[in-house]
Amino acid sequence: ATGAAGSTSAATAVTGTITVFAAASLTGTFTELGTQFQNAHPGTTVKFNFGGSSALAEQINSGAPGDVFASAAPKNMTTVTAKNGTSAQPVNFATNKLEVAVPPANPGKVSSLSDLAKSGVKVALCQAQVPCGAAALTVLQKNNLAVTPVTEEPDVKSVLTKVQLGEVDAGVVYVTDVKAAAAKVTGVEIPDAQNTISQYPIAPLTESKNATTAKAFVDFVTSAGGQAILHAAGFGKP
Amino acid sequence: MPLLALLIRAPWSALGSLLGQRTVVTALRLSVECASAATVISIVLGVPLAWVLARVRFPGLRLARAVITVPLVLPPVVGGVALLMAAGRNGVVGQHLDSWFGITLPFTTAGVVVAETFVSMPFLIVSVEGALRSSDLGLEEAAATLGAGRWTVFRRVTVPLVLPSIGAGAVLCWARALGEFGATITFAGNYPGTTQTMPLAIYNAFQTDPDAAIALSLVLLLVAVTLLVALRDNWLRAGSPT
Amino acid sequence: MPLLALLIRAPWSALGSLLGQRTVVTALRLSVECASAATVISIVLGVPLAWVLARVRFPGLRLARAVITVPLVLPPVVGGVALLMAAGRNGVVGQHLDSWFGITLPFTTAGVVVAETFVSMPFLIVSVEGALRSSDLGLEEAAATLGAGRWTVFRRVTVPLVLPSIGAGAVLCWARALGEFGATITFAGNYPGTTQTMPLAIYNAFQTDPDAAIALSLVLLLVAVTLLVALRDNWLRAGSPT
Amino acid sequence: MSGDYAALDFDVSVEREEFRLDVCDQARPGEVLGVLGPNGAGKTTLLRALAGLQPLRRGRIELDGMVLTDVAAGIQIPPERRELGVVFQNYRLFPHLSLLDNVGFGLRSRGISRSESRLEAANWLRRLDLAEYSERRPGRLSGGQAQRVALARALACRPRALLLDEPLAALDARTRLSVRAELVRQLRAFPAPALLITHDPLEAMVLTDRLLVLESGRVVQTGTPAEIARRPATNYIARLVGLNLYRGRLERGAVRLAGGGALVAAAGHELASGANCLVAVRPSAITLHTERPAASSARNLWSGTVRGLEPLLDRIRVEVAGEPGALVDITAAAAAELQLSDGTPVWLSAKATDIDAYPEP
Amino acid sequence: MSGDYAALDFDVSVEREEFRLDVCDQARPGEVLGVLGPNGAGKTTLLRALAGLQPLRRGRIELDGMVLTDVAAGIQIPPERRELGVVFQNYRLFPHLSLLDNVGFGLRSRGISRSESRLEAANWLRRLDLAEYSERRPGRLSGGQAQRVALARALACRPRALLLDEPLAALDARTRLSVRAELVRQLRAFPAPALLITHDPLEAMVLTDRLLVLESGRVVQTGTPAEIARRPATNYIARLVGLNLYRGRLERGAVRLAGGGALVAAAGHELASGANCLVAVRPSAITLHTERPAASSARNLWSGTVRGLEPLLDRIRVEVAGEPGALVDITAAAAAELQLSDGTPVWLSAKATDIDAYPEP
Ligand SMILES: Nc1ncnc2c1ncn2[C@@H]1O[C@H](COP(=O)(O)OP(=O)(O)OP(=O)(O)O)[C@@H](O)[C@H]1O
Ligand SMILES: Nc1ncnc2c1ncn2[C@@H]1O[C@H](COP(=O)(O)OP(=O)(O)OP(=O)(O)O)[C@@H](O)[C@H]1O
Ligand code: MOO
Ligand SMILES: [Mg+2]
Ligand SMILES: [Mg+2]
C-alpha cells in the first residue's frame, strides 16, 4: 500500500512545507518522523505545532493554519471532525498503554500497580480531564484500587517530572514516557489484563493548503517505516 | 476589549450552577487565602529588601536588582522546577527541611503560598524600591538627629512615607499571585482542597468544557475586580496628599 | 535561592550544543523581538492611558483602573482564550478585521505580539500612573500659561518628567512579555520560526528532555539579566537627579 | 490692536472650602499693580484666577477688549490662549530643558519654528545677562539666575499682561537687592499691564505704581505705595511699614484714642469733629526721656514703661507700654545714656507736626 | 556633667566637588553663635557636619568633653547619638504624624514610653502656644506654626546643643517679626550652646550673641553683631548692612581710596600711617548739594553724578557715581526740593566724625 501511495503522489508532487499539530506526548517521536519524511521526500519541510491535545483541537477550531492533526485521544479528534476540520476520516496510527513510573531508588518500594493503594505512597496521576488521567482512572477502577494521589497533573510530562525529581514515589504514565526517560525513572509494568489501551488518531486538515503533502505525511506515519519508529519509541500497533 | 469579548461570549446561564459547586467555592477560597498569604509574606520580606536595594550601596547592586527581576522573566513552569530543585523533597534546601524539621512543601497549601510568593514578590519590590528612591531623605536625616537609629527610622519614618506605594505594590503582587498558574502546578501540584487554586481549576475545566472554564474565569475576575476596586481606592485615598 | 538551585543542577555541558541549534537561536531572536515590539506598543498605548487614569476625572474611573489591572489576575491561558474570542477568526472584532482588512492575528507573529502586549501592558500602566500622580502639576500649569495646549504639555512636559518611570515600567513590561507563555500558546500557537518564543521552546524541550529545558531557561535568563542590567542602569542614571 | 496695550479689568470672586476671595480692580497699560498681603490672604489665588488656572464662583476678567472669563456668560478662555506672562513663586522652570529651551518654550508652543524660537530665546537670555548659561539645565542655577530665566521665559512670548507671584521671595537678602534693581528696569520697559504679588512693603515700594492690600480675601486698602506707607489703614500694614497706628475719634482738637490716651495732630484739616480716624506716628518721631521734660515745644507728652529693647541695624527699637503704647526708635548712644532696661519708667513726647491723623478708609 | 552645659568646639574641613569649607570656632554654653553668609557659602554644610550628616575631610568636633568627630582618630559618632537638636531650613516635619507625635518623636526614639512622651510633647506644644493643634498633621500648618513645631521637636529632647538652619527664612515678612520675638525668648532660655544660620543681618543682630561671617567656605569676619554692622570687613557685609565701604591706605591724615578719591576720618587712632584700612560711611551721613556749598564745617567734599534713585520706606536712596561713588539716603522732601534725576551733577559732603576708618581684619 505504501509503495502505491508513493507512486501516485509523485505525480502531483509531494513538496513544500506542511505543519503538523501533534500531541505533546508525541514530541520526540514525531520530530524523528518528520526528519525521516523529509529525507524520503526531498523538497519538503515538516514543521510541528506541539501542545496538549485539547489545546490543539481548540486552536484548529479557532482557525489555526495547519495540515495534519495527530491527537493523543479520539475525543479531541472528534471535536475537530465535528466542526468539519478534517478532510479525511481519522485513522488510528498508534496505541499506548499505561505503566507505573518510580524513581530509580524506588523509595516507596512500589513493585506492582496495587502498591499504589498502600498508605504512605505518594502518587501522582494526570487529572481526569486529560487522556492519561482518564485512562489511569479506568485502570484503577478496573482493578478496584482506591488511590488518593497527592496531585493531579495537567499532563503526562508533569507526572514524569515529579517522579524524576523524586517528589512522588510513583506516577502513572504511558509506556512511551518511561522509555523516553531512559535511566531517570524505572518502569513497573501493568499487565495487559489490568491495563487499558489508548488510541492515537491522525487526519489531514481541511484548512490544509498542501493537501497532497499532508496526505503523504499521514500515509508515512501509518507506513511500515513510520510504524517502526513509533514502535521503537514504545508505541503499540493500532 | 478582549475582556468584553469574554463577557459577550460567556455562558451566563451556566454561571449559577457552577457557582453552586463545592469545588469551585473551595478553589476560590483557597486562591484568595493563598494570594493574601503570599502578599503578606512579600511585604514582610520584600519591603526590607527594597530598602536595601534603594539605600545601601554595595558592589553587585546592579546584579542583585536584576536577579530580583528574574522571576518576572522566568516562564512560570521553569520557576516551579527551580523551586522543586531548591525546596523539593530532594532539593538543595528541601532535603534538609525534610530531614531536620520534617517540613515538606510540595503538594501542600504552604507550597502554593511559596510558589506564589516567588513569582509575585518582585512586583512589590520593584514598586517599593522606586518609591524609596524618590522619597525625601531629609525626613530620615531629621529622624536621625532626633535620636532614632536605623531601624527606628525605617519603621517609623521610611515605611509610613512609602505606604501608598507599598499598597500599590501589594495590589499588583496580590493580583499576580491570584492568577499564578505555572509555578503553582509545578511546585505544589493540583489537588482539590489543598493546592487546587482557581487558575488550576479553570485549567482543569478547560480540558473538557471551555465554556465552563470561561465562566470560572469570570468568577475569578469578578472577585479580583471587586477587591481591587475596594482596596486600591482606600489605599489611594490614604496616600494622596489632597 | 531557587535560582541558585537551578544553577547548581543545570546541565552545563549540554549548554554549548544547545546554543548551536538553529531552533533555539530562532526562538531566542523571536522572543526578544516580540517582547520589544510588545513593549513599544505598550508604551505608545499605555502612557496616554495612564495619563487619562491619573489626570482625567470621570465616572467609572475606579472601574476602569480595575479593568486595566485585570490581565494581571487572569490566568494567561484564559487571557489567550479571551483574545481568541475577540480577535480570532470568528471573534467579535476578528471577523471584521478579516473580512474588511484581510488581517488575521491568531497564529502569526503579530499574534504573539498582541498576546504579550495584552498581558504585559498593565505593568507599564501601573508604574506610569503612579509616577504621573506624584509628578509636579505646577510645571504643567506653567506650560499652559506659556501657550501650550494639552497635547503639547503632555508631549513636551509631562512625558519627559516621568521618563524614568516609563523606563522602569517598560523594563517590567518587557520582562513579563519575554516570559509570557500561556496566552501566547493559546492565541498564537507554537509554530517554530513564527510564534515559537523561548518559553514555548522550553515547553517543547520539557516534553522530551527536561535537562535541555532547564538549560534553555538559563539561556533565557542570561539574556534577560544581561539586557536588564544594561538597560535599567542606563535608565536609572538618566532619570536620577544627581 | 496693533501694538498698543489695553487695561486688565477684573472682578473676581473665588470660593474654596473655608476661604473666600473678592477683588475688583484694574491694571492699566504700563502700570505695575502691586498686591500686598499676609500669608493666606489670597494673593496667589487671585493670580491663578487671572491666569485661568482657578475656576471662579462669580466674576469677569477682560483684557484688551477680550473677555477672558465671564461666569455669567459661561466664558472661560483656557490658560494657553490668554497670552499672559506668568512668573510663579518658585519659578517652575522645566528641569529637563536647557535655559534656551525653557525660554523658547512659549514661542515653540505658539507654533514658531525651532530655530527662530532659539534665536529669540538667545536674545532674551543675552538681554538678561544669562547668555553663558544657555545650554545649562535649571537645576544648577542660583536663585537669582533662576528668577531671571523665569522672567525671560514669560517675556519672550510678548504677553499682553504680566503676572508675577512674589518674584523675589526665593532669593537671599543680598541677591534680592540686585535682582530687584534688574526687575525694576524690566518692569519699567514693559508696556502692558503688570500685576506683582509681594508681602514685602519695601519691594512694593520700589516695584509697583499702585498697591492693593489684601487681607483674608478682601481688599482693605488701595493707593500708591507712598500713601499706604504713610497712612496705613490696618494694623497689618502699619506693623509692616514700621509705624505706630492708633484708632480714635476727633474731639475738641485732639484725637481721643480707642485704646486710651489722646494725641494732638497738626494736620487734621480733612477731619470733621467727631469723625472716626486713624493716627500714624513714626517710631523715630517720638522722643524718650527718663525724667519729665520741664519745658518742651512738643504738644504731646505722656508716660509709660519700657517693655523690651530690640537692636536694629543702626538704632534700637524700644517697646513702651502706656496710653498709648508705642514703638520708639532711638540711637544706640541715646539708649546707653538713658540706661534703659525692661521696666524703666519713661516719658514720651512727640511734636504735633510729626503726627498724622486721617479718616478711616 | 550633671545638668550644666559645656561648649561646642569644632574645627571642620569639608571637600565637595568644587567646594571647600574650612571653619574653626567655638560656641559657649548659653551663647548663640550666628553664621551669616550668602547662598552657597557653606552654612548648611557646616551645620550638617556638626550634626554628623556630612563626612569631614579633616577635623574634630567636641561637645561637653565628648568627641563627636575626630577624623584623625577615626571617630564619627552617628547623628542619632549626638544628642543635638536640629531645626532644618524647611523644618522637615513628619507629614504622617500628628504634631504631638512629631514633638514626641525624639523622646520615643530615646526609649521613653509612649504615654510619657506624649505628656512631655503636650507640655512643649503648650509652651509654644500650639496646644490646640496637637492632633493636626503638619501639612495644614502655617509657616510660623510649622517653625514653632520644629523648634519644639528639637527642644523636647533636651539637646546638649541646638543647631538652627535659617529658622525664619520660610516665613513671610510679618510672621517673621512675631516668630523672631518668640525665638529670641526661647534662645535666651536655652542653657546650652546654639548655632544659628541666617543670611539676614537684622535677624543676626537680634538673635545672636556673636557672628561668624562665611563667604565661599571661608570665615571672613567674626565679632559681635554690632561690631560687624559698624565695621564690615567685606563688600558683601557692607551691602547687607547698608554701608558704603571703601578700601584704602592711610596717608598724611587722610585715607587714599583704592578706587580713587580720599576721605578724612576723625577716628583713626588705631591706624599707623601707611597702613591698609577700610572706611565705612553710613548713607544717611552724606549730604547732597546741587551747588558747591560755600562754607561748610564738613571736612570731606567731592563731586559726582546721580546714577539712580530708589524709594525706601521713609526715605530715598540715591546712587551717586564719583570718586568715591556712594549711596546716599535723603528724605523725600529733600529729593523733591533738589529735583534730582538720573544724570544730575551733585556735590557730596560728609563730616569726619561720621566716617569710620579701621584696620583690615
Ligand atoms: N489647594 C487648596 N485647597 C483649598 N484651599 C486652599 C488651597 N490652596 C490654598 N488654599 C487656601 O486659600 C487661601 C488663600 O491661599 P493663597 O495661596 O491664595 O494665599 P497667598 O496670599 O498666596 O499666601 P502666601 O503668601 O502664603 O503665598 C488660604 O486660606 C489657603 O488655606
Ligand atoms: N549635594 C551636593 N553635592 C555637591 N555639592 C553641593 C551639594 N549641596 C551643596 N553643594 C555645594 O556646596 C556649597 C555649599 O552649600 P551649602 O548648602 O552649605 O550653602 P549655604 O550656605 O547653606 O547656602 P544657602 O544660603 O543657599 O542655604 C555650594 O557651593 C553648593 O554648590
Ligand atoms: O495531549 Mo497529551 O499527549 O495528554 O499531553
Ligand atoms: Mg502665594
Ligand atoms: Mg543652606
Side-chain angles (χ1 to χ4, degrees):
Chain A
T2 10
S7 55
T8 40
S9 57
T12 43
V14 175
T15 181
T17 304
I18 55 165
T19 303
V20 175
F21 283 40
S25 49
L26 297 169
T27 306
T29 326
F30 264 51
T31 307
E32 170 70 16
L33 276 169
T35 314
Q36 296 283 345
F37 180 77
Q38 288 176 86
N39 290 343
H41 303 276
T44 57
T45 310
V46 182
K47 290 189 165 179
F48 290 100
N49 180 16
F50 291 113
S53 301
S54 56
L56 293 176
E58 176 78 24
Q59 286 179 8
I60 293 165
N61 287 341
S62 300
D67 302 282
V68 175
F69 178 33
S71 167
K75 194 185 86 181
N76 304 113
M77 185 58 89
T78 313
T79 323
V80 175
T81 46
K83 271 208 163 187
N84 275 328
T86 58
S87 56
Q89 270 305 310
V91 291
N92 294 333
F93 66 94
T95 57
N96 212 343
K97 55 185 182 182
L98 297 181
E99 192 169 279
V100 176
V102 297
N106 200 356
K109 310 220 162 30
V110 175
S111 56
S112 69
L113 179 65
S114 55
D115 287 345
L116 297 187
K118 286 196 302 194
S119 70
V121 176
K122 285 186 173 177
V123 179
L125 299 179
C126 289
Q127 62 186 58
Q129 291 88 343
V130 298
C132 67
L137 270 189
T138 311
V139 168
L140 292 174
Q141 271 164 11
K142 203 168 168 181
N143 296 287
N144 276 323
L145 290 171
V147 173
T148 311
V150 291
T151 177
E152 296 174 352
E153 296 292 319
D155 57 49
V156 162
K157 287 298 163 185
S158 309
V159 174
L160 206 62
T161 305
K162 301 236 147 88
V163 176
Q164 268 181 32
L165 289 171
E167 296 298 336
V168 292
D169 301 324
V172 177
V173 298
Y174 289 115
V175 173
T176 50
D177 299 309
V178 177
K179 196 148 188 163
K184 289 172 188 159
V185 299
T186 310
V188 175
E189 265 186 57
I190 305 173
D192 277 353
Q194 302 174 10
N195 214 327
T196 181
I197 308 293
S198 318
Q199 295 288 345
Y200 284 58
I202 188 168
L205 294 172
T206 317
E207 256 316 280
S208 176
K209 300 228 160 42
N210 194 350
T212 318
T213 314
K215 177 156 190 326
F217 185 79
V218 173
D219 289 343
F220 178 74
V221 170
T222 47
S223 74
Q227 290 294 306
I229 294 168
L230 284 163
H231 192 69
F235 286 102
K237 290 203 170 15
Chain B
M1 211 237 323
L3 299 171
L4 211 66
L6 209 59
L7 288 176
I8 292 173
R9 298 279 175 100
W12 290 109
S13 53
L15 250 180
S17 67
L18 269 171
L19 277 178
Q21 286 177 27
R22 243 225 5 257
T23 52
V24 173
V25 176
T26 315
L28 196 58
R29 221 195 46 222
L30 190 69
S31 283
V32 171
E33 284 172 2
C34 288
S36 304
T39 306
V40 170
I41 294 175
S42 294
I43 291 174
V44 171
L45 299 180
V47 172
L49 209 53
W51 182 86
V52 170
L53 288 180
R55 290 291 147 81
V56 185
R57 288 245 137 274
F58 59 93
L61 178 68
R62 290 158 58 175
L63 192 67
R65 193 181 294 120
V67 166
I68 299 272
T69 341
V70 153
L72 290 173
V73 188
L74 215 57
V77 176
V78 178
V81 173
L83 276 172
L84 277 179
M85 288 177 167
R89 195 158 63 156
N90 302 313
V92 180
V93 180
Q95 56 194 352
H96 304 301
L97 275 183
D98 196 10
S99 61
W100 296 345
F101 308 105
I103 299 173
T104 42
L105 289 175
F107 314 119
T108 61
T109 307
V112 176
V113 175
V114 169
E116 292 185 351
T117 306
F118 175 71
V119 171
S120 57
M121 189 153 74
F123 292 81
L124 187 106
I125 294 180
V126 169
S127 311
V128 175
E129 192 205 333
L132 283 174
R133 279 192 179 279
S134 57
S135 88
D136 185 1
L137 283 177
L139 291 171
E140 300 187 6
E141 286 186 354
T145 65
L146 288 166
R150 272 205 171 191
W151 173 238
T152 312
V153 171
F154 177 74
R155 204 168 37 85
R156 297 199 55 214
V157 178
T158 316
V159 168
L161 287 175
V162 295
L163 215 49
S165 293
I166 294 180
V171 165
L172 280 182
C173 176
W174 185 81
R176 181 71 185 86
L178 198 67
E180 164 46 30
F181 170 76
T184 309
I185 201 163
T186 310
F187 182 62
N190 173 29
Y191 196 76
T194 53
T195 67
Q196 188 179 76
T197 57
M198 272 305 267
L200 306 199
I202 291 171
Y203 187 82
N204 265 7
F206 205 67
Q207 303 299 326
T208 44
D209 182 1
D211 279 354
I214 288 167
L216 285 182
S217 306
L218 284 177
V219 172
L220 182 64
L221 280 191
L222 208 71
V223 172
V225 169
T226 310
L227 278 169
L228 288 183
V229 167
L231 286 178
R232 271 204 71 157
D233 216 59
N234 280 350
W235 262 318
L236 280 181
R237 201 172 297 146
S240 71
T242 355
Chain C
M1 210 239 322
L3 299 171
L4 212 66
L6 208 59
L7 288 176
I8 292 174
R9 299 276 174 103
W12 290 108
S13 52
L15 251 182
S17 67
L18 269 172
L19 277 178
Q21 286 177 26
R22 243 225 4 257
T23 51
V24 172
V25 176
T26 314
L28 197 58
R29 222 197 42 224
L30 190 70
S31 282
V32 171
E33 285 172 0
C34 288
S36 304
T39 306
V40 170
I41 295 176
S42 294
I43 291 174
V44 171
L45 300 180
V47 172
L49 210 52
W51 182 85
V52 170
L53 288 179
R55 291 291 149 80
V56 185
R57 289 242 138 276
F58 58 94
L61 177 68
R62 291 158 56 177
L63 191 68
R65 192 182 294 120
V67 166
I68 299 274
T69 340
V70 152
L72 290 173
V73 188
L74 213 56
V77 176
V78 177
V81 173
L83 277 172
L84 274 179
M85 288 179 167
R89 197 163 56 163
N90 306 314
V92 180
V93 180
Q95 55 195 356
H96 303 303
L97 273 183
D98 195 10
S99 60
W100 296 346
F101 310 105
I103 300 173
T104 41
L105 288 176
F107 315 114
T108 61
T109 306
V112 176
V113 174
V114 169
E116 291 186 351
T117 306
F118 176 71
V119 171
S120 57
M121 189 153 75
F123 293 83
L124 187 105
I125 295 180
V126 169
S127 311
V128 176
E129 193 205 332
L132 283 175
R133 278 191 181 280
S134 58
S135 88
D136 185 2
L137 283 177
L139 291 172
E140 300 187 4
E141 286 186 353
T145 65
L146 288 165
R150 273 204 169 189
W151 171 238
T152 311
V153 171
F154 177 74
R155 205 167 38 85
R156 298 201 52 215
V157 178
T158 316
V159 168
L161 287 174
V162 295
L163 217 49
S165 293
I166 295 180
V171 165
L172 281 181
C173 176
W174 186 81
R176 181 71 186 85
L178 198 67
E180 200 334 284
F181 171 77
T184 309
I185 199 170
T186 312
F187 183 61
N190 179 15
Y191 297 87
T194 53
T195 69
Q196 189 180 76
T197 56
M198 273 306 268
L200 305 200
I202 291 170
Y203 172 80
N204 262 12
F206 214 63
Q207 300 301 324
T208 46
D209 182 0
D211 279 354
I214 288 167
L216 285 183
S217 306
L218 284 176
V219 171
L220 182 64
L221 278 191
L222 207 71
V223 172
V225 169
T226 311
L227 277 170
L228 288 183
V229 167
L231 286 178
R232 271 204 72 158
D233 217 58
N234 280 350
W235 263 316
L236 280 181
R237 202 171 297 146
S240 72
T242 356
Chain D
M1 298 278 110
S2 72
D4 51 10
Y5 293 86
L8 174 66
D9 284 288
F10 54 92
D11 175 5
V12 162
S13 174
V14 175
E15 207 158 53
R16 202 150 68 167
E17 286 164 32
E18 292 156 32
F19 176 77
R20 164 100 178 246
L21 172 77
D22 281 290
V23 188
C24 172
D25 210 313
Q26 185 197 51
R28 287 185 304 280
E31 179 185 54
V32 180
L33 175 63
V35 180
L36 185 73
N39 284 137
K43 307 183 294 295
T44 299
T45 306
L46 171 61
L47 178 137
R48 292 175 58 81
L50 296 176
L53 298 169
Q54 165 75 49
L56 299 191
R57 194 185 64 86
R58 191 193 59 65
R60 190 180 149 87
I61 302 168
E62 197 179 314
L63 172 64
D64 212 355
M66 173 175 153
V67 177
L68 297 183
T69 300
D70 189 334
V71 176
I75 300 176
Q76 170 80 353
I77 307 284
E80 62 268 29
R81 295 202 283 111
R82 295 197 169 206
E83 300 184 34
L84 301 172
V86 184
V87 176
F88 292 93
Q89 187 159 355
N90 40 12
Y91 310 140
R92 299 192 178 174
L93 299 178
F94 303 121
H96 59 293
L97 298 180
S98 69
L99 297 200
L100 205 57
D101 290 336
N102 261 282
V103 175
F105 189 95
L107 298 165
R108 294 267 286 139
S109 299
R110 296 210 158 85
I112 290 165
S113 78
R114 189 178 160 81
S115 57
E116 211 173 319
S117 303
R118 299 197 116 218
L119 216 68
E120 180 70 8
N123 271 337
W124 276 102
L125 285 175
R126 195 157 338 106
R127 209 174 302 179
L128 285 161
D129 232 8
L130 291 159
E132 57 183 310
Y133 306 113
S134 325
E135 293 306 330
R136 210 180 257 197
R137 301 266 173 106
R140 296 189 43 228
L141 292 181
S142 79
Q145 290 163 347
Q147 202 275 342
R148 295 209 299 272
V149 177
L151 190 64
R153 187 176 69 171
L155 290 174
C157 304
R158 308 202 173 278
R160 300 192 301 152
L162 195 58
L163 310 174
L164 305 109
D165 195 353
E166 312 210 11
L168 305 175
L171 308 178
D172 71 301
R174 185 227 203 165
T175 317
R176 199 174 291 165
L177 288 179
S178 60
V179 177
R180 194 173 71 191
E182 173 65 39
L183 193 56
V184 168
R185 268 197 297 287
Q186 295 295 338
L187 286 176
R188 288 233 176 93
F190 186 71
L195 187 128
L196 185 143
I197 290 176
T198 177
H199 52 228
D200 184 333
L202 204 66
E203 212 171 287
M205 208 58 116
V206 178
L207 292 171
T208 70
D209 300 311
R210 197 160 59 80
L211 266 183
L212 189 157
V213 184
L214 218 54
E215 284 181 48
S216 319
R218 294 186 330 99
V219 178
V220 294
Q221 192 171 10
T222 58
T224 66
E227 274 166 25
I228 287 176
R230 204 159 47 79
R231 296 185 154 190
T234 68
N235 283 324
Y236 159 70
I237 318 177
R239 281 201 64 176
L240 216 51
V241 299
L243 289 182
N244 292 299
L245 182 70
Y246 310 101
R247 219 160 288 272
R249 172 195 288 269
L250 192 64
E251 281 175 16
R252 272 170 287 134
V255 181
R256 190 139 308 276
L257 304 180
L263 289 171
V264 180
H269 319 306
E270 317 138 86
L271 291 167
S273 188
N276 285 330
C277 64
L278 294 169
V279 181
V281 190
R282 269 182 297 119
S284 59
I286 303 177
T287 312
L288 280 192
H289 319 262
T290 38
E291 278 164 19
R292 185 182 177 119
S296 163
S297 68
R299 309 243 323 261
N300 294 292
L301 181 67
W302 73 104
S303 66
T305 316
V306 172
R307 278 283 163 260
L309 291 159
E310 188 183 38
L312 298 185
L313 276 185
D314 50 359
R315 60 223 139 112
I316 300 213
R317 175 157 292 180
V318 186
E319 190 184 339
V320 183
E323 288 202 336
L327 295 175
V328 183
D329 283 356
I330 59 177
T331 62
E337 188 185 316
L338 294 172
Q339 295 195 311
L340 297 179
S341 71
D342 213 353
T344 310
V346 286
W347 287 90
L348 304 90
S349 67
K351 288 191 279 181
T353 48
D354 279 340
I355 294 184
D356 190 13
Y358 49 96
E360 251 184 313
Chain E
M1 318 273 124
S2 72
D4 51 10
Y5 292 86
L8 174 65
D9 282 289
F10 53 93
D11 175 4
V12 161
S13 175
V14 175
E15 207 158 52
R16 201 149 71 166
E17 284 164 34
E18 293 155 33
F19 176 77
R20 165 101 178 246
L21 174 78
D22 280 292
V23 188
C24 172
D25 210 314
Q26 185 196 53
R28 287 187 303 281
E31 178 186 54
V32 180
L33 176 63
V35 180
L36 184 72
N39 284 137
K43 307 183 294 294
T44 299
T45 306
L46 171 62
L47 178 138
R48 292 175 58 82
L50 296 176
L53 298 169
Q54 165 75 48
L56 299 192
R57 193 184 65 86
R58 193 194 57 66
R60 188 180 151 86
I61 303 167
E62 198 180 314
L63 173 63
D64 213 353
M66 171 175 154
V67 177
L68 297 183
T69 300
D70 189 334
V71 176
I75 300 175
Q76 170 79 353
I77 307 284
E80 62 266 29
R81 292 202 285 112
R82 295 197 168 206
E83 299 184 37
L84 301 174
V86 183
V87 176
F88 292 92
Q89 188 159 355
N90 41 11
Y91 310 140
R92 299 190 177 174
L93 299 178
F94 303 121
H96 59 292
L97 298 179
S98 69
L99 296 201
L100 206 56
D101 290 335
N102 260 282
V103 175
F105 189 96
L107 297 166
R108 292 269 284 142
S109 299
R110 297 209 156 85
I112 291 164
S113 79
R114 188 178 162 80
S115 57
E116 211 172 319
S117 304
R118 298 197 117 218
L119 218 68
E120 179 70 8
N123 271 336
W124 277 101
L125 285 175
R126 198 160 334 108
R127 208 173 302 180
L128 285 161
D129 231 8
L130 290 159
E132 57 183 311
Y133 306 113
S134 329
E135 293 305 330
R136 211 183 256 196
R137 300 266 172 105
R140 295 189 46 227
L141 292 181
S142 79
Q145 289 162 348
Q147 203 276 343
R148 294 209 300 270
V149 177
L151 190 63
R153 188 177 67 172
L155 290 174
C157 303
R158 308 201 173 278
R160 299 192 303 152
L162 195 58
L163 310 175
L164 306 108
D165 195 352
E166 312 210 14
L168 306 174
L171 308 178
D172 71 303
R174 185 226 202 163
T175 317
R176 199 175 290 166
L177 288 178
S178 60
V179 177
R180 194 173 70 192
E182 174 65 40
L183 192 57
V184 167
R185 267 197 297 286
Q186 295 295 339
L187 286 176
R188 288 232 177 94
F190 186 71
L195 187 126
L196 186 142
I197 290 176
T198 177
H199 53 229
D200 184 332
L202 204 66
E203 213 171 285
M205 207 58 113
V206 178
L207 293 171
T208 70
D209 300 312
R210 197 160 59 82
L211 265 185
L212 188 156
V213 184
L214 219 54
E215 283 180 50
S216 317
R218 295 185 329 101
V219 177
V220 294
Q221 194 172 7
T222 59
T224 66
E227 273 165 25
I228 287 175
R230 205 158 47 81
R231 295 185 155 191
T234 67
N235 282 325
Y236 159 71
I237 317 175
R239 281 201 63 176
L240 216 50
V241 300
L243 289 183
N244 291 298
L245 182 69
Y246 310 100
R247 218 160 287 272
R249 169 195 289 269
L250 192 63
E251 282 174 18
R252 270 169 287 136
V255 181
R256 193 141 304 276
L257 305 180
L263 289 172
V264 179
H269 319 305
E270 317 138 86
L271 290 168
S273 188
N276 283 331
C277 65
L278 295 169
V279 182
V281 190
R282 267 182 299 117
S284 57
I286 303 177
T287 312
L288 280 193
H289 318 263
T290 39
E291 279 164 20
R292 185 181 178 117
S296 164
S297 68
R299 306 237 329 256
N300 294 293
L301 181 66
W302 73 103
S303 66
T305 315
V306 171
R307 278 281 163 262
L309 292 158
E310 191 183 37
L312 299 184
L313 275 185
D314 49 0
R315 61 222 138 115
I316 301 215
R317 175 157 291 179
V318 187
E319 189 185 340
V320 182
E323 289 200 334
L327 295 175
V328 182
D329 283 358
I330 59 177
T331 61
E337 190 184 316
L338 294 172
Q339 293 194 310
L340 297 178
S341 72
D342 211 353
T344 309
V346 286
W347 287 91
L348 303 90
S349 67
K351 289 191 280 182
T353 48
D354 279 341
I355 294 185
D356 191 14
Y358 48 96
E360 251 183 314

